Amino acid sequence: MKHPAAQLKTVVGYEFTTFRKNKVFMGITIVVALLLLALTILPPLFVGKGDSSSAAGGDAGAQAVIQVFDPDGVIADREALEALLPGCQLDFATGAYDDTAAAAIQNDQLDGALTVEDDLHFTYYAKNAVMSSEYQQISGALKSYRQQYMLGQAGLTEAQILDAMSAPQVSAMETSGKDIMSTYALTYILILLLYISIMLYGQLVATSIATEKSSRAMELLITSANPNNLIFGKIIGVGLAGLCQMVVWLAVGAVGIGFAKDFWMNVPFVSGVLEAPPYILLLMVVFFLLGYLLYASLFGALGSLVSRVEDINTTATPIILLCVAGFILSFMGMADPFSLLIRVCSYVPFFAPMCMFVRVSMSQVPIYEIVLSVAVTGVAAGFFAWLSAKIYRVGTLMYGKPPSLKQLAAVLRESKG
C-alpha cells in the first residue's frame, strides 16, 4: 500500500484530471468565459459607435442634430440654451413642426425635433423619444434655461445666477471613510461569487462520492486506500478544479475590462471592484477556502450516505438551506453592516464566510474580530472534515434509505468501539 501522502496526492490528481476531462465542466467553463468576454468588450464598442454616429450634416460628428421650432420666439437667448446642450447641435427653424421634419427624423437626417408652445410647454419628437439620451439632456437644459432667464429678469448678475443654480454635491461615506457605492458593488459581486462557488463545488463533491458508491467502485477503493485520503483527496481535487475555473473566468473578465479600461473606470459599479484594496481580495480567498472546506465536508458526508445520485438533493436540503440563509443574511448585512444580527452571525461558522466578509468590505472591523471569525470557522471546518471522514468510512457499506441522525450516531459509536 502506498504511503498516505502518496495516496492523497494520487486521489487529488485523479479528481482534478476527471473534472479537467469532463466535457460538461469544460463546456461550462468555456461558455461562461466567452460570455464574460462579450459582456466586457462589446458594451464599450457599441457605446463608442453610438457616440460617433450622430446625424449627418452636423459640424461636430459627436453632436446630435435637433431642429427647434419656436415660431413665437419664446427662447429669447438661443446662445444660452446651446451652451446648456454641448452634446446637441440646435437648428432653429421658422414655422411649425410638420411631416417634413417627421420624415427627416425617420430617415436619420435629424436626431430629433423640439417644438416650443410657451415657456412651460415643449414637445420632443424622436424615433425613441423617451429612452433617448437627448431627451434627458434637453429636459434638464430647458429647466436650467428657464431658471437662468427668470433670475436674469429679476436683476441678478450672471455670476449670481450661476452661484444660485449650483447644486450641492453630497457623497455617502461610512464612518470608516469607505465610499458606500464602490464598497457595495464590490461586496455584492464577491458575496455572489462566494455563494455560487461554495454551493456548486460542494455539491460536486457529494455527486462524485455518490456516483462511486452507486457503482460499487467505493468498496474497491476503500480496501486499497485510506478512507481519509479518499474523501480529503476528493474535497481538495474538486476544490482545485473549481479554483482553476474561477481563475479562468476572472482572468478573462480582467482581459475584457483591460481592453476598454477607461470606459469601465467610469462605471461606478465596476470601478468599485477594480479599485478594491488587496486585503479585501486576500480575505475573500481565505473565506472561500474555509467556507468551501466546511460545506464540501458536509456534502461529502451526505454523499457517502446515499445510494443514488438522485437522492442527494433531498438529503442535502438542510445544508443547502444553511448556505442560502448565510447568503440572505449577508445581503441584509449590506444594508446595515453594524447590526447586532450580522455581528453575531459573523462568528457562526456556517454564516461567517459571507457575513464577516460583508462587515470587512463595508465597515471598519478590528483585526482581532477578523482573526476570531477566521479561527472559529477554521476550527469548525476542521471538525466537520474529521466527522465527514468518519461518516465516509462507515457509510461505504450502508445502502438503501439514508440513515437518520440517531441511526448514524449509533453506527459511529459502534465503529469507534
Side-chain angles (χ1 to χ4, degrees):
M1 183 177 291
K2 290 184 178 180
H3 188 273
Q7 288 183 3
L8 181 63
K9 182 179 179 182
T10 300
V11 176
V12 170
Y14 173 78
E15 291 296 327
F16 181 81
T17 304
T18 299
F19 279 96
R20 184 173 58 84
K21 294 181 178 180
N22 187 291
K23 294 182 179 179
V24 175
F25 184 82
M26 294 304 297
I28 293 174
T29 304
I30 294 172
V31 169
V32 174
L34 292 176
L35 286 175
L36 286 172
L37 196 62
L39 291 173
T40 51
I41 290 180
L42 294 181
L45 296 179
F46 281 109
V47 171
K49 182 178 179 181
D51 291 341
S52 61
S53 59
S54 295
D59 293 333
Q63 290 183 316
V65 178
I66 308 296
Q67 196 164 32
V68 181
F69 296 91
D70 183 18
D72 298 327
V74 174
I75 301 176
D77 192 348
R78 296 180 176 181
E79 293 182 357
L81 182 60
E82 290 175 339
L84 293 170
L85 288 168
C88 300
Q89 177 186 339
L90 302 184
D91 180 15
F92 289 87
T94 58
Y97 177 79
D98 54 17
D99 293 339
T100 302
I105 295 173
Q106 292 298 323
N107 296 329
D108 293 327
Q109 295 173 338
L110 289 174
D111 286 297
L114 179 68
T115 64
V116 184
E117 288 85 21
D118 52 53
D119 63 340
L120 288 176
H121 298 89
F122 304 84
T123 303
Y124 179 67
Y125 296 90
K127 283 186 176 180
N128 191 8
V130 176
M131 298 301 295
S132 66
S133 59
E134 290 81 10
Y135 172 73
Q136 304 296 332
Q137 296 175 32
I138 291 172
S139 297
L142 288 172
K143 179 181 178 181
S144 298
Y145 171 80
R146 187 172 185 274
Q147 291 174 345
Q148 288 184 16
Y149 182 76
M150 294 185 68
L151 291 172
Q153 292 293 100
L156 273 67
T157 64
E158 182 177 353
Q160 290 174 324
I161 293 174
L162 292 176
D163 184 59
M165 296 185 63
S166 297
Q169 300 295 322
V170 182
S171 299
M173 297 290 290
E174 291 283 2
T175 54
S176 60
K178 295 185 178 182
D179 178 64
I180 289 179
M181 290 303 295
S182 60
T183 54
Y184 188 91
L186 171 66
T187 308
Y188 181 88
I189 292 176
L190 296 187
I191 284 295
L192 191 62
L193 193 60
L194 277 172
Y195 170 75
I196 293 175
S197 58
I198 290 173
M199 287 286 288
L200 175 62
Y201 304 130
Q203 292 190 70
L204 286 177
V205 173
T207 302
S208 176
I209 294 175
T211 301
E212 290 180 354
K213 185 174 180 180
S214 62
S215 64
R216 302 279 180 164
M218 184 185 292
E219 297 177 11
L220 298 176
L221 291 172
I222 205 167
T223 59
S224 58
N226 189 306
N228 293 348
N229 291 332
L230 287 174
I231 188 168
F232 292 150
K234 289 182 179 297
I235 292 174
I236 297 172
V238 174
L240 286 177
L243 193 61
C244 289
Q245 189 180 57
M246 290 175 58
V247 168
V248 170
W249 291 341
L250 293 174
V252 170
V255 170
I257 291 175
F259 181 78
K261 187 175 181 180
D262 293 338
F263 171 84
W264 289 114
M265 287 302 293
N266 292 323
V267 180
F269 194 83
V270 179
S271 63
V273 179
L274 298 178
E275 297 174 349
Y279 78 90
I280 292 292
L281 301 179
L282 176 61
L283 284 174
M284 178 197 170
V285 174
V286 171
F287 283 121
F288 162 75
L289 293 176
L290 292 177
Y292 167 75
L293 177 60
L294 191 153
Y295 279 97
S297 298
L298 293 175
F299 277 117
L302 290 178
S304 62
L305 294 177
V306 299
S307 302
R308 301 181 306 165
V309 177
E310 295 81 4
D311 295 332
I312 291 178
N313 290 333
T314 303
T315 309
T317 298
I319 300 176
I320 295 174
L321 290 177
L322 279 175
C323 194
V324 171
F327 182 66
I328 295 173
L329 286 169
S330 65
F331 269 88
M332 293 172 59
M334 291 174 66
D336 184 10
F338 301 99
S339 67
L340 178 61
L341 177 62
I342 300 304
R343 291 173 64 88
V344 172
C345 289
S346 63
Y347 302 108
V348 178
F350 299 107
F351 310 139
M354 286 179 275
C355 290
M356 178 54 82
F357 185 76
V358 167
R359 291 183 59 200
V360 172
S361 298
M362 304 196 68
S363 64
Q364 195 71 30
V365 182
I367 295 179
Y368 75 87
E369 292 191 20
I370 300 175
V371 173
L372 179 60
S373 177
V374 170
V376 170
T377 308
V379 170
F383 169 75
F384 284 112
W386 170 82
L387 182 62
S388 68
K390 297 294 183 183
I391 296 175
Y392 180 85
R393 184 189 297 270
V394 301
T396 305
L397 301 177
M398 297 176 66
Y399 290 91
K401 183 180 179 180
S404 63
L405 289 177
K406 184 177 180 180
Q407 292 172 333
L408 180 61
V411 173
L412 288 174
R413 285 195 299 269
E414 291 176 4
S415 65
K416 184 178 180 180

